Amino acid sequence: MISDKASACPHCGCPVTQVKICEECGEPLPEDATECPNCGCPIESVETLKEELFEETPKKKNGWIGALIVALLCFIGGGGYYVYTKLYNTTIADNMQQEEVNSDSEEGKAESVNSNTDEGEYVAGVLKKGNWAYSNSTDPMTDEETNAALCMSNESLTICDQRTHLQLYLMHMPMGSNSVFVQIEDGVLRQDKLPMIYFRFDGGKVDTFAVIANGAKAQLIPSEKISNHIINSLKKSKKCAIKVEAQDGGTATYTFNTEGLEWEY
């Protein structure tokens, strides 16, 4: 292929001969012909071609390819813009929705747990952190708060023919006092006479305390002095064993992992 402006081939020097061809019958035409000597077609209806070099005009061919490329780019550009805007709008909507969820979640946490405990896992408004779970409640009439910490026993034992876990509760009451009590999920703790409870921290000596029944499933240590002693011991301990008395006369000893207690009261 050579330029249509060239008078000779730049590679071999062969002169370029332009020949007029009749488009009706393909007969070569003389340069001064006004019509085809073979079929009589007027000269205005013929095309000038380079003999044996071009089958069509390069400019027309390039123009057709260019138009196709432009159309393709427009299609791709339009489709890309649609996809971009669709993804952009979807991402913005998702981000806004996630921000609302996060905002609501953070507000819920601030209202339902101690603001000083900002780590751990929240479950139904309760902060689970290490071996302890923390929560608080507010009296709607007085706005007074009750703060609580809970540790669950490592095992379940049988009390009054019921397989049950023991829960160790620490509470800070609105009047500014601390309380310690234990509660079982099933069965009945001793309620008659004077129930006793036994604590042992990290394999040390056994402490025995009198408790009062707070219903069939809970026992409360009535002395705040003893409650504060137990709380301070729990802050320092990693393990704790508690033996309780059941209503049927039996006893059960539960163990707890108490390490990591965060209690500011």
Side-chain angles (χ1 to χ4, degrees):
M1 300 292 288
I2 65 172
S3 171
D4 59 356
K5 299 297 189 296
S7 59
C9 175
H11 180 67
C12 66
C14 178
V16 177
T17 303
Q18 293 187 350
V19 180
K20 293 181 180 181
I21 305 296
C22 176
E23 70 173 1
E24 292 293 333
C25 63
E27 181 74 13
L29 301 175
E31 292 186 4
D32 57 350
T34 58
E35 62 180 21
C36 176
N38 182 47
C39 65
C41 180
I43 193 174
E44 290 80 10
S45 301
V46 301
E47 295 181 355
T48 302
L49 302 177
K50 288 187 178 295
E51 186 179 30
E52 298 179 356
L53 294 179
F54 298 96
E55 294 182 356
E56 60 181 352
T57 305
K59 290 184 178 180
K60 291 183 180 180
K61 185 175 182 179
N62 293 339
W64 176 81
I65 295 176
L68 179 60
I69 293 174
V70 171
L72 184 60
L73 290 176
C74 290
F75 175 80
I76 294 174
Y81 178 77
Y82 171 80
V83 173
Y84 168 80
T85 54
K86 186 70 174 178
L87 291 177
Y88 177 82
N89 292 334
T90 301
T91 302
I92 291 297
D94 290 344
N95 289 342
M96 292 178 63
Q97 184 178 10
Q98 187 62 42
E99 290 176 0
E100 292 176 0
V101 170
N102 292 341
S103 177
D104 294 340
S105 177
E106 292 299 327
E107 291 178 2
K109 293 175 187 178
E111 294 175 358
S112 60
V113 299
N114 193 319
S115 60
N116 293 328
T117 56
D118 55 358
E119 298 177 358
E121 179 183 3
Y122 289 89
V123 179
V126 176
L127 173 63
K128 181 67 172 62
K129 187 175 182 181
N131 303 313
W132 293 86
Y134 304 88
S135 66
N136 62 11
S137 59
T138 303
D139 189 319
M141 299 299 294
T142 63
D143 294 331
E144 294 179 327
E145 287 190 352
T146 297
N147 305 93
L150 165 68
C151 189
M152 185 74 71
S153 65
N154 296 323
E155 62 281 296
S156 63
L157 300 175
T158 300
I159 289 184
C160 298
D161 297 325
Q162 297 288 334
R163 196 76 177 174
T164 181
H165 282 88
L166 187 69
Q167 300 168 343
L168 173 61
Y169 272 94
L170 313 179
M171 296 194 70
H172 179 74
M173 308 301 288
M175 66 286 296
S177 62
N178 291 330
S179 300
V180 175
F181 66 94
V182 297
Q183 176 176 298
I184 59 172
E185 297 172 332
D186 297 296
V188 180
L189 292 174
R190 184 174 176 181
Q191 303 175 73
D192 61 328
K193 298 182 180 179
L194 185 64
M196 304 299 291
I197 193 168
Y198 308 86
F199 280 81
R200 191 184 188 195
F201 301 98
D202 290 334
K205 69 181 184 68
V206 177
D207 294 324
T208 305
F209 309 108
V211 293
I212 59 174
N214 187 25
K217 296 181 180 297
Q219 292 178 342
L220 172 67
I221 295 178
S223 170
E224 184 181 2
K225 181 178 179 179
I226 295 177
S227 294
N228 288 335
H229 165 71
I230 292 175
I231 292 173
N232 289 332
S233 298
L234 290 171
K235 289 180 179 179
K236 301 174 184 178
S237 69
K238 295 182 179 180
K239 302 285 184 180
C240 175
I242 300 178
K243 183 170 74 171
V244 293
E245 299 176 336
Q247 185 62 32
D248 61 2
T251 62
T253 301
Y254 297 86
T255 61
F256 298 80
N257 294 327
T258 55
E259 185 177 12
L261 173 63
E262 296 182 1
W263 189 252
E264 59 184 70
Y265 305 103

